[in-house]
Amino acid sequence: MTTLPVSRRTLLAGAAFAGALTQVRQVAAETKAVLTSATPSDVDSLPRVKVKLVDPPFVHEHEQVATGGPKVVEFEITIHEKKIKLDDSGAEVWASTFNGTVPGPLMVVHEGDYVELTLINAPTNELLHNIDFHSSTGALGGGALTQINPGEKTILRWKATKPGVFVYHCAPPGMVAWHVVSGMNGAIMVLPRDGLKGRDGEAVTYDKVYYVGEQDFYVPRDAAGNWKTYDSPGESYEDTVAVMKTLTPSHVVFNGAVGALTGDNAMTAKVGETVAFIHSQANRDTRPHLIGGHGDYVWATGKFNNPPERGLETWFIPGGTAGLMVYTFQQPGIYAYVNHNLIEAFELGAAGHVKVEGEWNDDLMKQILAPSAV
Ligand SMILES: [Cu+2]
């Protein structure tokens, strides 16, 4: 790691925003006092489960219908700042990551469970980080209680009271946008205890689940139009913010890079299998679409107290939101799963593949005449 001058490093750690920081810390202290006094004393007697997180697009093992009562679900995430390659043209970015991946890992709990996250800021990092869970209540989503410098850790517990899929992201005072578009976001799914339900109360279950995290990146170019590269996250800060302010991303990708979910990395399914796709975008609006398929059940804004929409072609997910789509595949083949702003999909990278095996159904589609001369 390049050593930064102290003044620069301090700035990057957020101390230049001392006013805001002090304010946030005060809020944090007050909130902590309230939280402590209001915390039910029986949380300590609840069963505890330790969950090992896995890298997206995969999701850790979980029950769809909860057995037993509420639990304390323990997760551990280490924050790593690392250089990642975005494509084959030399574009790279100093990503800030939860657990080393963009997006961070998907967590799954049930409504009424307590999430207990140990958050570690790796000592090799240079920036202050924290975590804001959209699914939690109070203290800037936990952001005010979790600010940690490199080499520090913190433990946050919050009760999952709202069922749905929700974004989480880093939100350090004064630098929220930069951390989020440096890849520091992920999602959590809070399932209803009795599982997902359709509009008529029917059970909606899935055979497998994938987590697609869409990310906009803003890589600066030099005067000749070549991608600029940097020795540390801090060195890239000013140039990157300048590009961010154009609101024009250089890349819009799934799971951290162009091609992260295509070819050998494609998602897979079988005909007859029901697949849940969780899709998050922490910063920008998006519109997922499965080319050749549909959204059988779609919670576009991801909140399970609302009934799902049925049979959609494309669904809209506002920036700062995670959504869920459930589809039963009916035909084999390679499906493209895209952001249906097709410029973002095919020119900037927001496309993945689902490789589906099984029997072709002629009733649903049949080529009556292969392309031939008139
Ligand atoms: Cu951060």
Side-chain angles (χ1 to χ4, degrees), residues 307-361:
E309 289 194 276
R310 302 291 313 271
L312 297 191
E313 57 176 320
T314 300
W315 42 102
F316 184 75
I317 301 181
T321 303
L324 175 69
M325 179 276 263
V326 176
Y327 181 60
T328 305
F329 283 92
Q330 299 185 52
Q331 297 278 40
I334 305 283
Y335 291 70
Y337 177 91
V338 299
N339 171 344
H340 213 289
N341 176 325
L342 299 171
I343 302 161
E344 295 179 4
F346 295 112
E347 304 298 331
L348 299 188
H353 287 154
V354 189
K355 204 184 298 171
V356 182
E357 290 177 348
E359 292 285 302
W360 182 264
N361 181 339

Side-chain angles (χ1 to χ4, degrees), residues 224-252:
N226 300 313
W227 301 117
K228 290 182 81 169
T229 60
Y230 302 90
D231 291 333
S232 75
E235 293 303 318
S236 74
Y237 175 70
E238 279 175 33
D239 287 354
T240 305
V241 171
V243 181
M244 285 160 55
K245 286 180 172 172
T246 68
L247 298 175
T248 306
S250 58
H251 297 75
V252 179

